[in-house]
Amino acid sequence: MPEAVPAFGRTRDEREQPTAPGTPWAVLLAAGVIVLATWAAYANSFSAPFVFDDLKSITLSPSIRHLWPLGDVLSPPPGGGLSGRPLVNLSIALNYALGGESVRGYHRVNLAIHLLAALVLFGVVRRTFLRPVWRERLGGAATPLAWAVAILWALHPLQTEAVTYVSQRTEALMGLCYLLTLYGFIRGVESPAPARWFGLAIASCLFGAASKEVIVTAPLIVLLYDRSFVAGTFREAWRQRWRVYLGLASSWIVLAWLMRDLAARQVGFGLGVTGWSYALTECQAVTHYLWLAVWPHPLVFDYGTHLTRNAVTTASGAAVLALLFAVLGRTLSRWPTVGFFGAWVFIILAPTSSIVPVALQPMAEHRMYLPLAGMIVLAVLGLHALVGRWIVAAVLVLAGGLGILTAQRNESYRSEVALWADTVAKRPDNPRAQTSLGTALVQGRRLDEAREHFAAAVRLAPEDAIERYNLGNVLLELDRPAEALPECEAAVRLKPDLVEARVALGTALALLGRLDEAQARFEEALRLNPDDPLARINLDRLRAQRAGGLGR
């Protein structure tokens, strides 16, 4: 008669694993080195200002200004960077409650999340190397190998965007929840009391759903892990632990509810980007991510919204991916424990880097935050095969180099001007970067330099009303109304409901002495938005000016 399967499906062999090798002191030492080295690499990032989406998520967000009622905090404004991500918005609100808009507190929390994720990754990899399928070959080196993976992952400069850019706390917090999901599952299949560990896995998955949508792949990764390292087959994994998988899959219900405003976030179909054109772009994007994992240069903060139309680039990327998928399929069939880490990379990238368009951001380095771990595991295993017991020394050298590169990359975040100047230097064909640099220069009253970058943005995107308005507005500030006039007219023509453009057009007309037309433009702006203060002030000033002129 077969042995009865206990609650949550654990077998006798899984319950009777011997104690993991390695003393607690070795584990603590490894964890301490990870924390100290990573903190040192990011120490120069704490004064980096809020940039880009931080303005909507933090400085202009009303939902973080209080902690009660909690419903408001858990419902960030639709269309923003934290929309549909209530757990992240709550963490930002807690930051605000403790320190207002002092940027250091936000950076410290981001780094703390990253450090926790690195420590959980250390635990996941260490316990994976101690599984029966790998114990004989790797068990004795499980702690140093897991330390190698965690420290290289934590220090890799490709992670800077997810850590130093405050709004990408979404990626880091989701990554922590994702790793906790897998860690809870691993501990559950090892523990004599699995319910609490499986409960941790399910709760972490649910919290991840409240952080970022990529967590949708976590139940699949856990199932693949079970098949590769525990049960041996998908059927046996499901038979033994179907309750766990149903619990993990419940996160999809939460996600479906939170993803109701995806269209407002410019994600999904029917937004002017087809799944086919996006998929072609992602062939280049994914191969680029893989290359940056090996050679992290140049790192780019914002790649813009450009979709790839270069046939050679697209074809070469598709060919590389086809080859990698063929190798991965063979590896998963013959050596599933190795293939798992390759599948980890592509499964986690799939939601954002396949066919579902993310129209405003087809490429973004923070998407490699979790996938990078799979690549580093494979690299560490290869390095261990080459250098054997010298693995710690080799990793110390690599970690030192990566830490220096990370500190150098963080220097690019020291100011908005520095970050966008770096982005423009690497992606001069990105109109959003040109505009953002121009805006940062305007704030520093470097108006002539700003005009150059706004003009570059107009050359790159002549049909974009915002770019036209920005150029016209800075020309007005430079007291060049004749040059500003055609830009403001173009902005109004391209986007008739852009109130700011109508106000700028009215200002240009007034400065050129065309007062009737100017008054009409200000009145139009007020009809569109009766509460616009600049339109009201300019109209009142113009009327007073005309009344004074008539009085004389």
Side-chain angles (χ1 to χ4, degrees), residues 190-338:
E190 295 173 352
S191 172
R196 59 178 181 173
W197 290 110
F198 289 139
L200 170 66
I202 294 169
S204 298
C205 201
L206 291 169
F207 282 127
S211 302
K212 197 166 189 178
E213 298 75 16
V214 178
I215 198 73
V216 70
T217 61
L220 304 179
I221 284 289
V222 172
L223 179 61
L224 183 60
Y225 186 96
D226 197 348
R227 176 258 186 180
S228 302
F229 293 98
V230 186
T233 66
F234 289 117
R235 176 177 295 181
E236 188 63 17
W238 176 260
R239 185 186 72 81
Q240 293 185 20
R241 283 172 280 277
W242 62 270
R243 295 180 184 85
V244 178
Y245 293 115
L246 289 180
L248 294 173
S250 68
S251 64
W252 295 341
I253 300 173
V254 176
L255 272 175
W257 185 73
L258 292 173
M259 290 167 62
R260 293 166 299 163
D261 72 333
L262 274 187
R265 290 184 259 165
Q266 296 294 296
V267 178
F269 300 103
L271 299 170
V273 179
T274 66
W276 176 248
S277 62
Y278 188 79
L280 292 177
T281 297
E282 294 312 293
C283 289
Q284 178 191 3
V286 172
T287 52
H288 183 64
Y289 298 154
L290 299 180
W291 175 246
L292 288 177
V294 178
W295 189 261
H297 180 81
L299 296 178
V300 178
F301 178 69
D302 176 32
Y303 288 85
T305 60
H306 178 71
L307 296 177
T308 300
R309 292 180 174 85
N310 186 311
V312 174
T313 302
T314 300
S316 60
V320 169
L321 289 180
L323 177 61
L324 290 174
F325 288 150
V327 172
L328 177 59
R330 180 68 170 168
T331 306
L332 280 169
S333 175
R334 294 284 302 275
W335 305 283
T337 54
V338 176

Side-chain angles (χ1 to χ4, degrees), residues 352-428:
T352 55
S353 303
S354 52
I355 64 170
V356 180
V358 184
L360 294 181
Q361 205 169 40
M363 290 181 65
E365 291 167 2
H366 61 259
R367 291 176 187 156
M368 277 297 287
Y369 186 72
L370 274 180
L372 182 63
M375 294 187 68
I376 289 179
V377 170
L378 295 174
V380 167
L381 289 174
L383 186 62
H384 181 245
L386 286 175
V387 302
R389 61 190 179 90
W390 294 99
I391 183 71
V392 172
V395 168
L396 282 173
V397 173
L398 287 172
L402 292 174
I404 291 171
L405 292 175
T406 289
Q408 290 176 345
R409 177 58 181 162
N410 282 329
E411 282 296 312
S412 299
Y413 287 81
R414 68 185 180 275
S415 69
E416 282 193 85
V417 170
L419 181 61
W420 289 114
D422 177 79
T423 306
V424 165
K426 294 168 180 175
R427 279 289 190 274

